[in-house]
Amino acid sequence: MIETFFPNVKWDIMWQATYDTLYMTIISTAITFVLGLLIGILLFLTSPHQLWANKVVHFLTGSIVNIFRSIPFIILIILLIPFTKFLLGTIRGVNAALPALIIGSAPFYARLVLIAFREVDKGVIEAARSMGANTFTIIWKVLIPESKPALISGITVTAVALVGYTAMAGIIGAGGLGNLAFLEGFQRSREDVTLMATILILVIVFIIQWIGDMITAKTDKR
């Protein structure tokens, strides 16, 4: 039945492209979560009136974050081609897309982390400091637990954006559903291939959003 509506779809290739998209999304999201969290912590702690208050470090870190957030992703991929080739020896394939995906999304998530930390009640932080808690304890016992729903919601938004980034990366040969939709669908005028790739991307996005919303709701104790 389904072959009637999608006669040009080669399902083995379609499922491989889906796997490639999931691979790029999951790996880049995991690394983005760690890097973005660390950068966000640095931005928060070096901001005025915080534990590591330092105008120079805060300005430089914030400037780097803003620069990479401002560059359109498709341009960022092109700019990172020499770096990617140096790092991996190739600019094609799913692994070659990872540097651009991570560098493009980590600054975005870092800003969401900073916003989440700023929402934490200052009284809670001051109470921990008054009881002699060190910086590490304040980060892991106060900041992260208190802002957990916002952190999870932020990484969910970032993961959804990364699905779209993988589609753009596919156009320059990274693989995945974006690559399949462009090469097998658009360039060969096979609208059914493009449609099915789009449907699968939407399904992935809906699943990510559902999982993120469910975890956020469970961790939000308000």
Side-chain angles (χ1 to χ4, degrees), residues 172-206:
I172 62 167
L177 290 167
N179 179 262
L180 186 67
F182 181 70
L183 294 180
E184 297 292 329
F186 176 74
Q187 289 196 335
R188 298 189 180 186
S189 298
R190 295 173 176 173
E191 289 80 5
D192 56 331
V193 175
T194 303
L195 178 60
M196 178 51 66
T198 303
I199 291 171
L200 289 173
I201 288 173
L202 290 173
V203 169
I204 292 171
V205 167
F206 289 151

Side-chain angles (χ1 to χ4, degrees), residues 48-78:
H49 311 298
Q50 296 301 331
L51 297 172
W52 297 346
N54 188 307
K55 290 183 178 180
V56 175
V57 174
H58 184 76
F59 174 78
L60 291 175
T61 307
S63 297
I64 293 171
V65 166
N66 289 337
I67 288 170
F68 281 103
R69 282 177 61 215
S70 303
I71 301 173
F73 183 71
I74 194 69
I75 297 176
L76 182 64
I77 295 174
I78 297 169

Side-chain angles (χ1 to χ4, degrees), residues 36 52 59 70 79 84 87 107 118-119 127-128 137 147 155 159 173 185 188-189 200-201 203 206 212-213 215-216 219:
W52 297 346
F59 174 78
S70 303
L79 291 175
T84 302
L87 192 66
R118 283 176 174 171
E119 294 298 317
T137 302
S147 60
I155 198 62
R188 298 189 180 186
S189 298
L200 289 173
I201 288 173
V203 169
F206 289 151
D213 289 345
I215 297 174
T216 300
T219 56

Side-chain angles (χ1 to χ4, degrees), residues 128-160:
R129 292 175 67 178
S130 66
M131 290 187 290
N134 57 29
T135 303
F136 181 84
T137 302
I138 291 173
I139 292 170
W140 297 108
K141 298 295 185 180
V142 178
L143 284 176
I144 292 179
E146 289 292 324
S147 60
K148 192 180 293 183
L151 295 177
I152 295 170
S153 179
I155 198 62
T156 302
V157 172
T158 306
V160 169

Side-chain angles (χ1 to χ4, degrees), residues 8-80:
N8 296 308
V9 174
K10 297 177 181 177
W11 292 102
D12 56 334
I13 297 176
M14 186 65 71
W15 297 133
Q16 181 60 48
T18 304
Y19 171 82
D20 291 343
T21 295
L22 288 171
Y23 173 84
M24 288 187 285
T25 302
I26 292 170
I27 298 298
S28 58
T29 298
I31 298 175
T32 292
F33 177 76
V34 175
L35 285 179
L37 186 62
L38 293 175
I39 297 170
I41 289 171
L42 181 62
L43 281 170
F44 179 77
L45 292 180
T46 57
S47 58
H49 311 298
Q50 296 301 331
L51 297 172
W52 297 346
N54 188 307
K55 290 183 178 180
V56 175
V57 174
H58 184 76
F59 174 78
L60 291 175
T61 307
S63 297
I64 293 171
V65 166
N66 289 337
I67 288 170
F68 281 103
R69 282 177 61 215
S70 303
I71 301 173
F73 183 71
I74 194 69
I75 297 176
L76 182 64
I77 295 174
I78 297 169
L79 291 175
L80 290 175

